[in-house]
């Protein structure tokens, strides 16, 4: 048995009860789990300050001195505050305890040298330390204390006496028990020496007990790189296997449909970004390999137009295409958009969703099987077993994260060769995150808006300014425009939030008695929701009061105002997605972020970023830094786990890039994973895949 597989129960300071707590709260069962539970911060304990040197902004300070005397102050029945006056000869500070009288008098004596460590506050004009760490100075070597690690602990752990310093003691005991040389290396020398990385064993020891900041940095760099490297190696190995296993349909012919559309039906000249993406797609289609491409672009950047041109290339080469959307209303909008683009070109586009039933459904399915239908637009209904294509060559998936891996894989069974796949998303994804979530997909970006689109003006208003906001809404509606008003719902099951929307709707009907208002929220039946949305799309209702169910999808070019109430309760990505519902026509559009007057610093940053830029990628980068990858839209559905133990995709972007490059070199050198010099890497990857980490990649 590997030494790190031993049970933590028998470590000093653990035992059965604490083992149970550590297992339930942090999933720590073995020595390995514990040594890979890394500190989240460090405090420098190698320096002693004098009381004279102290300033009010010190987070932690370490002093050496003597207790001069004790005082007691009654706080009520059976409660007292004990104060010790502590001096180092340059001044006096107070040490305060609110319980533990017997323990204090037994352990701390006047006239003895102690090292005091804690967070100072000022009370009655004097520095005070509440419940600090106090150790006898005799025989204590400060140089050996170095940087003190701090560990995240839960409330349940604290109740069982497992504070950060307890975890530190248990971990220190563990590190001392592991014999030198017994922790196996997981990266080969040709990687560690070239990148100047310390060994795994040294890194695991120093991450818990560094002597200085350099130790911390070097240990973190090694462990972060390793973690990110194996994530990337796994993704790239999967992508490489997939490419070798599945040959793509070769589509060399640029025919009459593509040329007819390009020269006669383009609604506007392609932007340079759209041209670049079309070249990338074209290269994929003639390569003989299956295309797996992610197409990123903000709302209104012209992704659907690019997707249509890719589908026309497939049709010109004798194949069929499908476009899958996450909702029925989105699928219907795509159908209308495609038919509008194509005009009188001989391309048959049909719809297949849950509402296409009976005789009509049979007609569509028969025409699909015979090859008469060129493009099928639909929802999850496209994946049903009875939906058979004659020759499917191109699958376009809109808003990728709404479809599960297993569902998308069903497309493979509908064609002899798996179809080329183009995934579209209007949720801009930072480059480092895309490398990890969509690491097996090639990424194309449309980072320009078509000519004629006016940037949305975003303003911040307080809820005390609602009367002037209402006046602005009246003015826009008088000019024939439509308006969204969004209420927050954190969890759609929360009754208070739903009531918030209901009460808000009632208020708005009183404020706008002469206007037609609609209402949409997640608790409505799908049919009612669709009907309400269609009334807004058709212009029957002028104001749509909604929750975030409108975040993805609906295209209403006449809607020019987006009011987001309690905007402080939304993340940046969500605010950006909601804003993208307006600005889809030629008229100037507005987004009004309404908040309370009391805002945290993080919230102010979010609101300021939204008002400063319409650039979705800039916003996504800021969101990643503010919130971390696990919270971002779509990442949880993607199939990649973000339970990284030490690396941070938001802050370790350069390491993600380096890990990606190194993993790519390995795949290039050993695509079949069978060369002896790389077996250490493949064996380690197998171990990690067997562990409880979710390593599955997007297909």
């Amino acid at each position: 048995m590997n030494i790190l597989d031993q049970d933590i129960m028998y470590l000093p300071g653990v035992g059965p009860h604490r083992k149970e707590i550590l297992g339930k709260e942090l999933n720590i069962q073995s020595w390995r789990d514990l040594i890979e539970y890394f500190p989240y911060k460090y405090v420098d304990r190698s320096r002693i300050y004098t009381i004279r040197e102290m300033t009010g902004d010190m987070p932690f300070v370490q002093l050496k001195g003597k207790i001069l005397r004790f005082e007691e102050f009654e706080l009520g029945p059976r409660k007292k505050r004990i104060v010790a006056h502590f001096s180092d000869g340059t001044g006096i500070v107070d040490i305060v305890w609110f319980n533990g009288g017997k323990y204090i008098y037994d352990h701390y004596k006047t006239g003895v040298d102690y090292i005091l460590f804690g967070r100072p506050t000022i009370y009655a004009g004097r520095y005070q330390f509440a419940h600090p760490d106090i150790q006898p100075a005799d025989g204590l070597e400060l140089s050996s204390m170095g940087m003190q690690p701090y560990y995240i602990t839960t409330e349940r752990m604290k109740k069982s006496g497992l504070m950060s310093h307890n975890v530190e003691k248990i971990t220190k005991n563990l590190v001392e028990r592991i014999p030198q040389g017994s922790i196996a290396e997981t990266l080969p020398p040709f990687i560690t020496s070239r990148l100047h990385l310390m060994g795994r064993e040294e890194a695991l020891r120093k991450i818990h007990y560094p002597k200085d900041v350099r130790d911390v940095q070097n240990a973190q760099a090694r462990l972060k790189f390793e973690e990110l490297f194996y994530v990337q190696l796994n993704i790239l190995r999967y992508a490489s296997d997939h490419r070798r296993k599945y040959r793509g349909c070769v589509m060399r012919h640029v025919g009459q449909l593509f040329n007819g559309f390009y020269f006669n039906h383009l609604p506007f000249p392609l932007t340079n970004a759209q041209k670049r993406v079309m070249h990338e797609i074209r290269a994929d289609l003639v390569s003989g390999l299956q295309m797996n491409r992610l197409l990123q672009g903000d709302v209104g950047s012209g992704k659907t137009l690019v997707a249509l041109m890719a589908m026309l290339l497939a049709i010109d080469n004798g194949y069929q295409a499908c476009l899958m959307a996450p909702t029925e209303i989105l699928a219907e909008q795509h159908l209308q958009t495609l038919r509008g683009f194509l005009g009188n070109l001989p391309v048959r586009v049909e719809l297949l969703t849950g509402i296409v039933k009976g005789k009509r459904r049979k007609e569509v399915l028969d025409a699909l099987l015979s090859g008469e239908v060129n493009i099928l637009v639909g929802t999850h209904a496209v994946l049903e077993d009875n939906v058979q294509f004659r020759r499917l060559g191109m699958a376009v998936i809109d808003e990728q994260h709404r479809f599960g891996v297993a569902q998308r894989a069903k497309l493979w069974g509908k064609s002899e060769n798996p179809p080329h796949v183009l995934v579209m998303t209007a949720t801009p994804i930072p480059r480092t995150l895309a490398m990890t979530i969509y690491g097996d997909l090639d990424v194309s970006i449309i980072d320009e808006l078509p000519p004629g689109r006016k940037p949305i003006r975003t303003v911040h208003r307080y809820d005390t300014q609602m009367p002037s906001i209402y006046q602005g809404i009246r003015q826009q509606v008088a000019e024939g425009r439509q308006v969204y008003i969004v209420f927050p719902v954190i969890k759609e099951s929360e009754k208070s939030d739903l009531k918030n929307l209901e009460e808000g709707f009632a208020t708005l009907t009183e404020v706008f008695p002469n206007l037609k208002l609609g209402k949409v929220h997640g608790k409505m039946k799908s049919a009612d929701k669709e009907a309400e949305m269609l009334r807004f799309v058709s212009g029957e209702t002028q104001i749509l009061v909604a929750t975030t169910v409108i975040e993805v999808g609906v295209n209403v070019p006449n809607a020019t105002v987006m009011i987001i109430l309690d905007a402080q309760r939304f993340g940046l990505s969500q605010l950006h997605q909601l804003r993208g519902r307006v600005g889809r026509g030629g008229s100037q559009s507005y987004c009004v972020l309404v908040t309370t007057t009391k805002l945290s610093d993080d919230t102010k940053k979010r609101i300021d970023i939204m008002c400063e830029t319409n650039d979705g990628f800039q916003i996504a980068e800021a969101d990643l830094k503010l919130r971390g990858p696990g919270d971002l839209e779509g990442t949880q559905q993607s199939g990649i786990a973000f339970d990284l133990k030490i690396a941070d995709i938001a802050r370790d972007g350069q390491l993600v890039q380096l890990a990606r490059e190194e993993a790519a070199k390995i795949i290039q050198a050993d695509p079949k994973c069978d060369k002896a010099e790389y077996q250490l890497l493949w064996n380690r990857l197998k171990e990690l895949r067997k562990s409880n980490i979710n390593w599955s990649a997007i297909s």
Side-chain angles (χ1 to χ4, degrees), residues 356-366:
V356 180
K357 294 178 178 167
K359 185 181 175 185
R360 179 69 190 135
R361 188 179 188 86
K362 186 177 186 307
E363 285 173 4
V364 172
L365 292 177
D366 289 347

Side-chain angles (χ1 to χ4, degrees), residues 66-79:
K66 295 179 172 68
I67 294 173
L68 304 178
R69 63 193 175 90
F70 291 95
E71 279 190 89
E72 289 187 8
F73 300 89
E74 296 296 329
L75 295 176
R78 302 177 66 184
K79 284 188 177 180

Side-chain angles (χ1 to χ4, degrees), residues 51-52 54 63 66 68-69 84-94 125-129:
I51 294 172
R52 186 191 293 143
M54 287 176 61
L63 307 171
K66 295 179 172 68
L68 304 178
R69 63 193 175 90
H85 304 294
F86 182 91
S87 175
D88 65 355
T90 72
I92 297 175
V93 297
D94 291 338
R126 197 140 90 175
Y127 285 110
Q128 176 176 285
F129 293 81

Side-chain angles (χ1 to χ4, degrees), residues 234-253:
N234 184 64
I235 292 167
L236 292 178
R237 182 202 58 80
Y238 167 83
S240 171
D241 286 354
H242 187 86
R243 285 192 183 98
R244 282 189 296 111
K245 186 175 176 184
Y246 297 110
R247 308 306 295 170
C249 319
V250 179
M251 300 179 181
R252 290 196 177 90
H253 184 53

Side-chain angles (χ1 to χ4, degrees), residues 37-42 149-152 207-209 220 646:
Y37 187 63
F38 302 118
Y40 74 97
K41 71 171 184 179
Y42 301 85
Y150 278 73
Y151 299 84
I152 290 173
I207 197 77
H208 294 288
Y209 296 99
Q220 284 182 340
I646 188 166

Side-chain angles (χ1 to χ4, degrees), residues 667-682:
I667 296 294
Q668 194 172 5
D670 188 14
K672 294 183 180 176
C673 312
D674 58 2
K675 291 186 179 175
E677 60 263 44
Y678 302 107
Q679 284 315 295
L680 171 67
L681 298 174
W682 304 127

Side-chain angles (χ1 to χ4, degrees), residues 155-408:
E155 283 305 311
R156 196 169 170 202
M157 287 171 67
K158 287 170 186 169
K159 285 177 184 174
S160 298
L162 281 169
M163 316 287 192
S164 173
H165 65 271
N166 302 108
V167 176
E168 180 196 349
K169 284 177 185 173
I170 294 167
T171 309
K172 186 171 187 179
N173 205 298
L174 166 62
V175 171
E176 287 169 352
R177 280 169 177 252
I178 298 172
Q180 287 287 346
S182 58
I183 295 179
E185 184 51 78
T186 50
L187 291 175
F190 63 79
I191 289 181
T192 53
S193 58
R194 183 160 43 79
L195 299 181
H196 307 290
L197 297 172
M198 63 169 56
R200 179 173 172 78
E201 179 165 334
E202 185 186 4
L204 285 173
R205 291 182 187 277
K206 286 189 172 173
I207 197 77
H208 294 288
Y209 296 99
K211 284 194 167 58
D212 52 35
V213 174
R214 183 173 289 182
D215 272 359
V216 173
Q217 291 170 340
N218 290 340
Q220 284 182 340
R222 155 61 205 236
L223 295 168
K224 285 179 177 184
F225 172 82
E226 178 184 334
E227 195 166 48
L228 293 167
F229 170 78
Y230 278 108
V231 169
Q232 294 298 335
L233 187 65
N234 184 64
I235 292 167
L236 292 178
R237 182 202 58 80
Y238 167 83
S240 171
D241 286 354
H242 187 86
R243 285 192 183 98
R244 282 189 296 111
K245 186 175 176 184
Y246 297 110
R247 308 306 295 170
C249 319
V250 179
M251 300 179 181
R252 290 196 177 90
H253 184 53
V254 180
Q256 285 185 336
L257 289 175
F258 182 90
N259 285 325
F261 178 76
Y262 187 80
F263 292 110
N264 303 316
H265 288 77
L266 271 185
F268 45 76
L270 295 182
T271 62
N272 288 330
Q274 285 173 310
K275 288 176 184 174
R276 184 184 67 243
V277 171
M278 276 311 304
H279 284 305
E280 291 167 351
I281 290 170
R282 177 96 176 93
D284 288 345
L285 299 185
V286 299
S287 69
L289 301 173
Q290 185 206 12
M291 176 174 77
N292 277 289
R293 187 164 287 281
L294 172 69
L295 178 55
Q296 290 191 70
D298 255 334
V299 169
S301 60
K303 296 183 298 297
T304 308
L305 186 63
V306 168
L308 173 58
M309 291 167 72
M311 290 190 280
L312 289 175
L313 283 172
I315 298 164
D316 271 339
N317 284 271
Y319 292 95
Q320 294 164 288
C322 73
L323 194 164
M324 284 173 57
T327 66
E328 289 185 355
I329 193 165
L330 248 185
E332 286 174 35
Q333 285 191 350
H334 276 309
L335 178 78
Q336 299 307 324
T337 302
L338 295 183
R339 284 179 174 169
F341 279 150
L342 290 164
N344 59 2
L345 282 173
V347 177
R348 184 171 172 185
V349 187
E350 292 289 357
L351 180 72
L352 191 70
T353 66
I355 58 172
V356 180
K357 294 178 178 167
K359 185 181 175 185
R360 179 69 190 135
R361 188 179 188 86
K362 186 177 186 307
E363 285 173 4
V364 172
L365 292 177
D366 289 347
L368 192 65
L369 189 57
S370 69
E372 294 168 63
V373 171
N374 304 112
I375 299 174
L376 183 69
V377 179
T379 54
H380 296 80
V382 173
L383 300 172
E384 290 171 10
D385 292 338
N386 65 342
V387 179
Q388 295 295 322
F389 294 80
R390 182 171 177 270
R391 203 175 183 216
L392 178 63
M394 173 75 65
V396 179
I397 299 172
D398 192 20
E399 290 304 335
Q400 145 100 357
H401 60 269
R402 306 280 166 141
F403 295 96
V405 175
Q407 289 172 315
R408 292 191 300 276

